[in-house]
Amino acid sequence: MKNRIFTIFTLLFLCTTLYAQQLEFVAKKDFTWTSIIGKKYHISKDEILQLDDDGIGFVYPNSPKEIEIWVKNSENESLNVPINFLTFNENVKVIQDSIKSNYWVPAYYYEQISSKTDRYSILYKNEPLWREWQNQFENPSTWQEDFFLGYYGFNDFYFFARNSYIGNGEATFLVKTEDVSDSSIKYKVCKMYSHFQKYTKRTAHPQENFLPLYKKETPFYIYLIIDGDYMKMYIDEVSEKNLFQTLIRTSPEACNQIENWIKGKSNDLSKVVMPKHGNVSVQTEVTKTNATNVAPNKTMTVSENLKLRSGEATSTQVLTVMSAGTKVKILELGKAETIDGISSNWVKVEVQKGAKDREGKPIKAGTVGWCYGGYLE
């Protein structure tokens, strides 16, 4: 009996070992380099290489495109190779160049630069560590020296996430791209790494907004749904409850300008192109039509229960919920957006006399906030 149990465990161990060795890569071209200790290495085109334990990481903290991966050659030597020199044997799909060649930043950065009153409130809400960081020092601006714009990058068999605090939760994901279309990508996440180490709680300390992703056990799925310059990132399935992050396609120049604006440095936000949804021609036409309905100094009526918010985005704080029939005066037009299939502008409004919330309680006349103009008539 003992021999039988031992045999079963031995077979299980061998199967596990063989499976671990199946993660193989193929060199796309010849590559020769010298290590920091002077040893020369060479890999040949079409050479088969196996994934090493050290995995994937960034060469330099501020070099988003310089990513290396540790692999083993046929002589069992560990080699660190630029990741773009390889292809992943498990992967057969290629994603769009327009996705691979751009930076993708969380949408709340764009919401922050749209704020007319402050530089930090939306940032603090989504990255609360900066508020805590500010309170740790006598100089309240100290945290700004360490802040930089967090962003994502996507490729055929890997993607990465960089937090806005370097080294604090950055991660790279080895993936198999299982499905690709013009508007979606399906990744199967095989491995997670934090700067050349297998991802564990000891190797990374992610910011709060990254926790749902980093708590996952591999394998799991990531779905990317692309709509023009917008990308919604879902964990496990495409559903509202599994929406992890809304990202915006942007450029390094735009990132620099947004970062400088948040830090209070010299900036030029005219270089930041505002994102657009996929069908630009239809969206523009609808927005023009709705713009004639919502206009500054116009008094309008809430058509159904409508949230009054602190800013022009669904992620901002809800001040109250105005009941249908509430009168509001439009003070300012905000950004155009399509919500629930309706295209209109966000509007800054002043609640008029006699307003009530959805529970029938009075709302003080003169209360000011933002609401979505598509539900005003």
Side-chain angles (χ1 to χ4, degrees):
M1 182 66 177
K2 289 182 179 179
N3 288 338
R4 185 177 297 175
I5 294 173
F6 176 77
T7 302
I8 292 172
F9 276 109
T10 301
L11 288 172
L12 287 172
F13 173 77
L14 289 173
C15 288
T16 303
T17 304
L18 287 172
Y19 177 76
Q21 293 174 343
Q22 288 176 354
L23 297 182
E24 295 181 336
F25 299 81
V26 180
K28 295 198 293 189
K29 56 185 176 180
D30 291 344
F31 183 56
T32 302
W33 74 103
T34 303
S35 71
I36 57 174
I37 60 173
K39 186 173 181 179
K40 289 190 175 182
Y41 293 96
H42 175 80
I43 58 174
S44 303
K45 182 180 179 182
D46 298 327
E47 183 176 346
I48 303 297
L49 303 154
Q50 293 181 347
L51 182 67
D52 201 358
D53 289 339
D54 290 329
I56 308 170
F58 294 92
V59 182
Y60 303 108
N62 292 313
S63 300
K65 300 297 183 182
E66 294 189 61
I67 300 175
E68 291 185 348
I69 183 168
W70 282 89
V71 291
K72 289 182 178 180
N73 61 15
S74 58
E75 298 175 0
N76 208 36
E77 293 179 304
S78 292
L79 313 171
N80 60 317
V81 181
I83 199 166
N84 289 325
F85 277 78
L86 305 175
T87 57
F88 183 30
N89 261 2
E90 293 281 321
N91 194 63
V92 294
K93 302 282 187 178
V94 176
I95 71 172
Q96 309 93 312
D97 286 339
S98 60
I99 302 297
K100 292 189 281 191
S101 60
N102 288 285
Y103 285 24
W104 294 86
V105 302
Y108 56 79
Y109 290 134
Y110 276 74
E111 293 172 15
Q112 184 64 75
I113 65 172
S114 298
S115 173
K116 307 294 192 300
T117 56
D118 67 83
R119 298 178 188 270
Y120 311 126
S121 62
I122 296 173
L123 178 68
Y124 284 159
K125 179 181 178 181
N126 289 278
E127 299 178 15
L129 85 159
W130 295 120
R131 184 188 295 276
E132 297 166 7
W133 181 277
Q134 180 184 10
N135 293 335
Q136 292 175 10
F137 297 90
E138 294 181 5
N139 183 352
S141 65
T142 303
W143 69 268
Q144 296 172 334
E145 298 172 3
D146 289 311
F147 170 82
F148 81 111
L149 231 59
Y151 56 90
Y152 292 75
F154 300 93
N155 218 299
D156 298 330
F157 63 89
Y158 68 91
F159 73 91
F160 64 82
R162 306 290 307 262
N163 283 351
S164 59
Y165 180 30
I166 295 175
N168 217 40
E170 64 184 23
T172 309
F173 302 79
L174 176 64
V175 301
K176 176 182 178 182
T177 304
E178 291 200 345
D179 194 27
V180 177
S181 72
D182 290 340
S183 60
S184 66
I185 297 169
K186 179 184 177 182
Y187 282 142
K188 180 180 180 179
V189 178
C190 303
K191 298 282 186 180
M192 288 197 301
Y193 296 96
S194 177
H195 195 59
F196 299 116
Q197 298 182 68
K198 287 182 180 178
Y199 191 90
T200 68
K201 291 181 179 179
R202 294 192 304 275
T203 60
H205 306 282
Q207 296 172 13
E208 187 174 333
N209 58 312
F210 286 80
L211 285 173
L213 182 61
Y214 292 174
K215 285 181 176 179
K216 296 294 295 182
E217 296 288 336
T218 56
F220 64 95
Y221 288 93
I222 292 290
Y223 293 85
L224 307 177
I225 305 300
I226 301 108
D227 176 16
D229 295 324
Y230 291 86
M231 175 190 289
K232 289 194 173 183
M233 190 174 181
Y234 298 88
I235 302 175
D236 290 330
E237 64 177 3
V238 180
S239 65
E240 196 61 32
K241 66 183 177 65
N242 284 15
L243 176 62
F244 168 62
Q245 193 79 265
T246 298
L247 306 175
I248 290 177
R249 184 201 315 267
T250 190
S251 66
E253 178 61 30
C255 287
N256 288 337
Q257 299 305 327
I258 295 172
E259 184 178 312
N260 287 340
W261 187 87
I262 290 174
K263 289 184 171 186
K265 293 183 177 180
S266 176
N267 63 84
D268 183 1
L269 291 184
S270 67
K271 295 181 179 178
V272 179
V273 178
M274 298 309 290
K276 297 178 181 177
H277 288 280
N279 196 338
V280 179
S281 60
V282 173
Q283 181 192 355
T284 303
E285 195 61 39
V286 173
T287 301
K288 286 180 180 177
T289 301
N290 284 325
T292 61
N293 295 327
V294 289
N297 299 317
K298 193 173 184 178
T299 299
M300 301 188 75
T301 303
V302 174
S303 60
E304 58 183 78
N305 289 349
L306 183 61
K307 292 175 182 177
L308 186 70
R309 296 181 175 274
S310 60
E312 49 184 323
T314 56
S315 60
T316 56
Q317 180 186 358
V318 177
L319 304 178
T320 186
V321 180
M322 302 178 289
S323 64
T326 297
K327 300 287 185 182
V328 296
K329 181 180 179 180
I330 297 175
L331 304 177
E332 180 183 333
L333 282 185
K335 64 182 179 181
E337 191 171 357
T338 301
I339 298 177
D340 296 332
I342 303 171
S343 296
S344 186
N345 294 76
W346 285 86
V347 288
K348 189 175 184 179
V349 299
E350 180 185 68
V351 177
Q352 302 299 289
K353 185 178 179 181
K356 294 183 179 181
D357 66 15
R358 62 182 170 186
E359 296 176 354
K361 297 177 181 179
I363 301 174
K364 184 179 179 181
T367 300
V368 174
W370 288 84
C371 66
Y372 186 59
Y375 295 99
L376 299 178
E377 57 187 21

